Amino acid sequence: MNKPLPSFEKLRELAEKDPEALERLREEHIKHLIDNAPQQYRHRLEGLQFQIDGQRRLAKSPMAACLKISKMMHDSLHQLKDFVDGAQDANREPIPAYEPARILSFKNQA
């Protein structure tokens, strides 16, 4: 299934007139994406999709679901950043003790 998503207008029309068809389309594309991911990532992607689906079910509105899933993404990004920063810090030379700076004066050219 390498067929592209329908146009935005078609997706909007499905959302308004046939939300069940839109949901089936969403599920088909997600399943295709996970099934075609490298084997070592599939289990993690299935788990992540399970969490996303759970947040969608628990949310009181589509906007609430969107905000909750967005928060999940930001939290994950911050964890990755903290990990990368920690790895970089472990490879850095220790910062030398404070040394006073020499202040240079520049002549005013005005």
Side-chain angles (χ1 to χ4, degrees), residues 4 8 15 28 36 41 51 61 65-67 70 75 82 85 87 96 100:
F8 176 79
E28 285 175 18
N36 287 287
Y41 299 120
Q51 290 178 29
S61 69
C66 181
L67 292 171
S70 177
D75 290 348
D82 290 345
D85 288 348

Side-chain angles (χ1 to χ4, degrees), residues 94-107:
I95 296 173
Y98 172 75
E99 295 178 20
R102 189 169 63 123
I103 299 174
L104 303 174
S105 64
F106 294 95
K107 293 182 181 173

Side-chain angles (χ1 to χ4, degrees), residues 49-93:
Q49 188 58 47
F50 178 81
Q51 290 178 29
I52 291 168
D53 291 340
Q55 292 300 330
R56 290 180 74 225
R57 280 191 299 275
L58 292 172
K60 296 180 182 191
S61 69
M63 182 56 77
C66 181
L67 292 171
K68 186 68 173 182
I69 294 166
S70 177
K71 183 182 180 324
M72 288 172 58
M73 291 189 319
H74 281 93
D75 290 348
S76 179
L77 181 62
H78 287 293
Q79 286 178 339
L80 178 61
K81 182 186 178 309
D82 290 345
F83 175 79
V84 169
D85 288 348
Q88 288 176 347
D89 289 344
N91 293 326
R92 282 196 184 123
E93 294 290 324

